[in-house]
Amino acid sequence: MANTILDVSDLNIEFHDHDLPETVVWDFDLMLDEGEIVGLVGESGSGKSMSAMAIAGLLPRHKVRKKGRITYGGIDLLTCSRDALRAYQGSDIGVIFQEPMTALDPLKKVGWQVEEPLKLHHPEIAPEERRRMAIDELRKAELEEPERVYDSYPFELSGGQRQRVCIAAAMIGNPRILIADEPTTALDVLVQEDIIALLRKINREEHVSILFISHDLSLVRQLCTRVLVMHSGRIVESGRTEEVFLNPQDPYTKKLISSIPKVDPDDPRKMEHKLSAEPVLELRNVNICYRERGTALKRRKNITVARDVSFTLHRGETLALVGGSGSGKSTIARAITGINKNYTGTIVKTDPNIQMIFQDPAGSLNPAHRIEWILEEPLKIAGGMTREERKERVRAQMRLVHLDEELLDRFPSQLSGGQRQRVCIAAALIRNPKILIADEPVSALDVTIQTEILALLRNLQKELSLSVIFISHDLRTVYQLCDNIVILKEGKIVEQGDVDEIYMHPKDAYTKKLLKAAGIH
């Protein structure tokens, strides 16, 4: 029988940074056994990360009141002294944070950051030995050329490489418990598969217990033996993963599981468009470059990132661009919109007014301005409208994306993730474009919010006769929404055509690999 390594009982978390205290987690219970992987799922604001950060001792003490018990190693981490808690943080309990680019200091090299837990917990270790241990941990995280990575800055690495660096930093202290908070968000399906395989390997070889937090229910089902479902700060269901997925009891759990996109031609949610033969966008033999950064001793040169790209978008069509990180998807989108003019070949547009919905709604909205200013600004730049006409257009856009007009007076930080993405859609459509490029518009959203945003995009496309280029690494969502698909690998098209045909009868080996990683084949 497995030994319990962590026992959390009756955990309540209450904030005191407003006039009235607000409880955000109620009666949270968790027993984590040695070598076990437990999933924690729920929507944004459900209390998942808050509960995990309480276990890791990372919640501020002066604004947050915690009740209950978190027992590890015979002591209560909620009531022990700061020094006692600090001895466990980063040593016995490691954390992989959600966004590696945010979690890593952009001004410090990777090696310094991986070594930091050793400096704090084992100052007696010599610098040369710390370097050797850090490089060894980077190698264990399956990073190629770990010595080069050690001397790199985070921005010089890919998203998957940065996430592996975060795993190395969490593991260098040889923790017994690893908290993985959304470790695969916004990564492409092949990189996700690699990260999940790495976590399995860590669990198996290091016998580390893992608390895996995710809104991707498919990944939770692949990785975890047990799952806890949170809603509005409470655990509403828990049990063996397969039992919960196959026979959910709570209405909220049923809603979550039913929101998972299906690859099924008979699924009523699958979008079907009336396609026109009229092309609205054509790319013919397009090669796209970017200018490498130069130095005093090194001349700048062009790096080709998309090669011989040709496809056509028709009126009313939704066309998917799919491929791994660095395959050229977003590069092609920037060339189509005119952001990147460094290309050869031909791009024919029937309407130059092409707008984009960007991947990160928080990052694409100006945090210093209110929603009304953000939506009105494109109309001011375009000109030709009175102030009252602009204000009315802004209000109409809010109604179009099903948002209350009262939100116009708020800043982006005061909105939920789903609300921010709706604002981004409203901003993209406010000048009535006929072509819309949606670049990973739902990758960072919960599964139920994803369903709402995708339903909104479907309705808007039908209502406004939009042609859409949909960039995504979520192949199940692509199947639900898109008519045709273009699959890219290292800047080249390896397969394109009807979504149903390619999903059922893929010809290219890379396409087969993508579909297999997504659990479709």
Side-chain angles (χ1 to χ4, degrees):
M1 186 174 178
N3 294 322
T4 298
I5 190 171
L6 178 73
D7 184 0
V8 183
S9 59
D10 298 321
L11 176 64
N12 287 260
I13 302 174
E14 192 177 85
F15 276 87
H16 285 260
D17 56 345
H18 301 291
D19 293 335
L20 293 173
E22 177 186 7
T23 302
V24 294
V25 173
W26 301 79
D27 303 328
F28 179 90
D29 293 329
L30 166 67
M31 292 185 71
L32 184 64
D33 291 338
E34 288 184 348
E36 187 180 26
I37 306 178
V38 173
L40 188 56
V41 303
E43 293 173 303
S44 296
S46 63
K48 310 186 301 294
S49 295
M50 200 66 63
S51 302
M53 293 306 103
I55 293 169
L58 296 177
L59 294 181
R61 295 198 173 196
H62 64 287
K63 287 185 178 180
V64 182
R65 179 179 296 171
K66 301 175 286 292
K67 302 176 185 175
R69 195 173 72 251
I70 301 175
T71 305
Y72 171 77
I75 70 165
D76 185 352
L77 300 182
L78 282 186
T79 57
C80 68
S81 68
R82 280 180 180 272
D83 289 340
L85 178 62
R86 198 171 289 125
Y88 293 105
Q89 292 172 318
S91 179
D92 287 49
I93 302 175
V95 182
I96 306 168
F97 295 98
Q98 180 171 352
E99 175 47 61
M101 197 60 185
T102 303
L104 296 172
D105 189 333
L107 300 179
K108 295 189 182 297
K109 291 185 176 181
V110 162
W112 188 96
Q113 301 186 63
V114 174
E115 288 180 8
E116 190 175 18
L118 295 178
K119 296 173 188 173
L120 294 173
H121 295 283
H122 300 284
E124 73 281 1
I125 297 177
E128 297 80 9
E129 178 63 10
R130 284 202 307 265
R131 174 185 169 86
R132 186 199 64 77
M133 291 173 69
I135 290 174
D136 187 50
E137 205 61 54
L138 291 170
R139 186 178 291 108
K140 285 182 183 178
E142 298 179 355
L143 279 156
E144 296 180 1
E145 301 179 275
E147 291 85 359
R148 179 188 63 81
V149 173
Y150 179 93
D151 287 318
S152 300
Y153 288 96
F155 68 85
E156 296 177 307
L157 306 178
S158 70
Q161 288 174 322
R162 287 194 292 266
Q163 194 60 282
R164 290 175 186 275
V165 167
C166 288
I167 292 173
M171 288 300 299
I172 199 166
N174 294 318
R176 299 179 67 198
I177 297 172
L178 185 63
I179 297 173
D181 190 0
E182 299 278 9
T184 60
T185 296
L187 300 178
D188 70 67
V189 65
L190 294 178
V191 178
Q192 281 186 1
E193 185 180 45
D194 290 343
I195 295 299
I196 292 300
L198 178 59
L199 290 176
R200 278 202 189 98
K201 181 180 177 183
I202 288 170
N203 169 253
R204 182 179 64 253
E205 296 183 359
E206 308 290 337
H207 208 59
V208 175
S209 304
I210 299 176
L211 180 60
F212 183 77
I213 303 168
S214 181
H215 65 252
D216 190 325
L217 300 182
S218 299
L219 291 181
V220 170
R221 191 173 187 178
Q222 288 178 44
L223 184 66
C224 304
T225 54
R226 284 194 299 124
V227 63
L228 282 68
V229 182
M230 290 194 75
H231 179 52
S232 300
R234 299 180 186 272
I235 295 174
V236 296
E237 189 161 356
S238 64
R240 305 293 296 180
T241 303
E242 279 302 301
E243 292 174 7
V244 170
F245 273 80
L246 293 176
N247 189 29
Q249 301 298 309
D250 187 82
Y252 177 72
T253 309
K254 293 177 181 178
K255 179 184 176 183
L256 276 182
I257 293 172
S258 67
S259 298
I260 301 173
K262 298 179 176 64
V263 179
D264 180 1
D266 298 324
D267 190 335
R269 293 176 298 182
K270 179 164 171 56
M271 189 69 173
E272 293 185 6
H273 306 110
K274 293 181 180 179
L275 299 184
S276 164
E278 176 192 346
V280 294
L281 174 70
E282 290 184 78
L283 277 70
R284 303 176 195 145
N285 307 115
V286 173
N287 296 274
I288 310 170
C289 304
Y290 74 88
R291 296 280 282 173
E292 187 183 46
R293 287 181 301 147
T295 66
L297 302 176
K298 181 181 176 183
R299 294 182 61 185
R300 296 176 68 188
K301 62 179 181 179
N302 285 335
I303 305 295
T304 302
V305 291
R307 300 174 182 83
D308 198 28
V309 173
S310 299
F311 62 80
T312 301
L313 177 70
H314 298 89
R315 182 164 55 84
E317 177 187 4
T318 298
L319 175 72
L321 290 186
V322 169
S325 298
S327 62
K329 305 184 299 294
S330 296
T331 298
I332 292 169
R334 286 193 287 269
I336 291 170
T337 55
I339 296 172
N340 184 353
K341 301 181 186 299
N342 196 17
Y343 67 86
T344 60
T346 305
I347 299 178
V348 180
K349 316 172 198 177
T350 59
D351 182 358
N353 180 21
I354 301 174
Q355 298 297 322
M356 282 190 70
I357 305 168
F358 294 96
Q359 179 173 347
D360 178 13
S364 58
L365 297 174
N366 191 327
H369 289 285
R370 300 179 191 274
I371 302 304
E372 184 172 25
W373 185 96
I374 290 169
L375 293 180
E376 190 180 355
E377 186 67 7
L379 301 177
K380 290 179 184 176
I381 294 171
M385 298 178 73
T386 66
R387 184 174 184 274
E388 277 308 310
E389 287 173 335
R390 292 197 304 267
K391 298 291 184 186
E392 178 51 39
R393 174 68 67 81
V394 167
R395 290 191 290 270
Q397 289 299 109
M398 293 291 280
R399 294 192 292 271
L400 184 69
V401 298
H402 306 147
L403 287 176
D404 196 304
E405 292 178 25
E406 291 181 359
L407 300 179
L408 287 170
D409 198 43
R410 294 191 185 179
F411 291 95
S413 61
Q414 296 172 312
L415 304 183
S416 69
Q419 287 172 329
R420 283 195 292 264
Q421 195 59 286
R422 287 174 185 267
V423 169
C424 289
I425 294 171
L429 296 177
I430 201 160
R431 290 185 56 200
N432 297 321
K434 292 303 178 187
I435 301 173
L436 186 66
I437 299 177
D439 189 358
E440 298 279 12
V442 295
S443 64
L445 301 177
D446 305 310
V447 63
T448 53
I449 305 301
Q450 284 183 10
T451 303
E452 293 174 7
I453 295 299
L454 291 172
L456 174 64
L457 285 173
R458 289 188 188 102
N459 293 334
L460 290 175
Q461 182 176 31
K462 190 180 297 183
E463 185 178 338
L464 303 175
S465 300
L466 288 169
S467 302
V468 179
I469 294 177
F470 187 76
I471 301 172
S472 181
H473 62 249
D474 187 337
L475 296 179
R476 293 178 179 273
T477 298
V478 164
Y479 184 80
Q480 291 276 323
L481 192 65
C482 301
D483 308 292
N484 292 301
I485 185 170
V486 173
I487 299 176
L488 294 149
K489 180 186 179 185
E490 297 174 357
K492 295 180 179 179
I493 295 176
V494 296
E495 194 162 0
Q496 62 177 309
D498 177 78
V499 164
D500 283 287
E501 178 62 26
I502 287 178
Y503 273 54
M504 297 305 117
H505 307 288
K507 295 181 175 61
D508 183 79
Y510 181 71
T511 305
K512 293 175 183 178
K513 186 177 180 182
L514 284 177
L515 293 171
K516 182 180 178 182
I520 295 169
H521 275 285

